[in-house]
Amino acid sequence: MTTAEKAVQWAVGIAGDDSHGYDQSSRWGPDYDCSSLVISAYKAAGVPLQSTYTGNMWQDFLNHGFIVPDGVDLRTGAGLQAGDVLLNVKNHTAMYVGNGRIVHASGNEHGGATGGMPGDQTGKEISVTGYFNFPWDVVLRYAEKDEPAPSPMPTGTYIVQTGDTLWGIAERLYGDPWKYHEIELANGIRNAMIYPGQVLIIPGADGGSTVTMTVTMKAVTAQMLEIMARGNGWTVGQAIDKVMEDVR
C-alpha cells in the first residue's frame, strides 16, 4: 500500500466513525477540523509533517515530499489522484479519495467551528462527498519514495502589454488558456488583475529568458468587457472568465 493510499484509508476511516466530529477546540483528536484531518492522515501514513493549519500547509507539504502535479483541472477535478490534497490557503482543505469524491471536515452540528457536542452529530461533520471546487488554490500530491519526483519546471518572465489578459497570455504561451491559474499562483495575483508593464513569472517558460510579446485587443472588445464587468460588479478578468465559460 502506498503512502497516499494509507492516508486515504485513515481519513475515510475517521469520516466513517461517528465518534469523530468537527471541533477546533479538540482538533487533533478525537475531533478534527479541515486542516488537522488532512495533516493527521498523512502523519498516520508516516509523513513527518509539521504544519498546523491551512496557512502553513503548502510549504510544509512541499518540504516533505509533495509536488504540484501537472494536468489537473481544479474546476472539474479531472486529473486528480487518490491522496491528492486540495488546498485553499485561507479557508479550507480536503483530500481527494478517488471516483470523483473527497473527504473533508466541514463544520459542527451548528455549522460552526467550536461549541458542538463531541463526535459527529449529523453524519456530515467529517464526510466523504462529491468533488467540488472550493475554489482551491493548489493541489499537492505525495511523490512516493520509489518514484523520482519531477524536476522543477523552468521559469521565464513576460512583460504585460496594453490589452493583455491572463487568459490570453496563457493561451499564447501554453496553448491552454485555462492554465492562467498557474500564472496567478506564481505571481500571487487575485481576480486576474494585471497591468501594462507588469513583469510576470511564467512557470514552464524557458529559464532565464524574458518573453516579450505585443498583443493588441480591439478597443471595442475591451470596452464591451468593461461595460459587462461594471454592470455585474465584476473585475474585467472575471468578465473574461464568464465569457469563456459561456463559449465552452
Side-chain angles (χ1 to χ4, degrees):
M1 183 179 292
T2 67
T3 299
E5 288 170 341
K6 292 176 183 176
V8 167
Q9 184 180 72
W10 187 92
V12 170
I14 292 293
D17 182 349
D18 286 345
S19 67
H20 303 287
Y22 185 109
D23 199 306
Q24 288 188 350
S25 62
S26 56
R27 60 191 293 264
W28 296 105
D31 295 325
Y32 297 90
D33 65 2
C34 65
S35 56
S36 67
L37 176 72
V38 174
I39 294 167
S40 295
Y42 268 101
K43 290 180 75 170
V47 182
L49 296 168
Q50 299 177 339
S51 45
T52 55
Y53 74 114
T54 56
N56 60 13
M57 284 176 63
W58 192 336
Q59 188 60 56
D60 182 46
F61 277 51
L62 292 179
N63 290 343
H64 288 91
F66 285 76
I67 61 169
V68 178
D70 293 332
V72 174
D73 187 339
L74 290 174
R75 294 174 301 114
T76 64
L80 287 170
Q81 296 180 12
D84 283 355
V85 174
L86 299 153
L87 178 64
N88 178 294
V89 175
K90 290 187 177 180
N91 296 297
H92 197 47
T93 185
M95 183 187 298
Y96 186 73
V97 299
N99 298 318
R101 303 184 72 76
I102 64 170
V103 60
H104 70 145
S106 57
N108 64 27
E109 68 268 32
H110 305 301
T114 59
M117 295 289 291
D120 194 335
Q121 303 301 310
T122 65
K124 296 180 179 179
E125 294 184 34
I126 302 176
S127 64
V128 176
T129 187
Y131 177 82
F132 61 87
N133 184 12
F134 185 78
W136 309 115
D137 293 321
V138 69
V139 57
L140 300 166
R141 178 174 297 164
Y142 189 71
E144 299 294 336
K145 301 299 183 182
D146 55 352
E147 298 179 5
S151 57
M153 295 174 65
T155 60
T157 57
Y158 175 84
I159 301 173
V160 177
Q161 306 296 312
T162 300
D164 271 345
T165 65
L166 286 181
W167 179 274
I169 293 170
E171 184 171 31
R172 292 192 301 277
L173 299 185
Y174 293 121
D176 180 358
W178 289 108
K179 287 194 173 183
Y180 79 92
H181 287 299
E182 297 183 16
I183 302 175
E184 281 188 319
L185 288 172
N187 293 273
I189 294 171
R190 294 287 182 182
N191 297 323
M193 294 297 294
I194 56 176
Y195 54 86
Q198 182 178 3
V199 179
L200 299 177
I201 297 171
I202 307 296
D206 292 337
S209 66
T210 300
V211 183
T212 305
M213 298 175 62
T214 302
V215 180
T216 60
M217 176 184 290
K218 291 183 179 179
V220 64
T221 304
Q223 290 171 358
M224 289 298 293
L225 287 170
E226 289 174 1
I227 292 170
M228 183 179 178
R230 286 198 300 269
N232 291 277
W234 300 334
T235 65
V236 172
Q238 289 170 326
I240 293 169
D241 286 348
K242 179 60 178 175
V243 170
M244 297 314 298
E245 287 175 2
D246 290 343
V247 302
R248 280 177 63 82

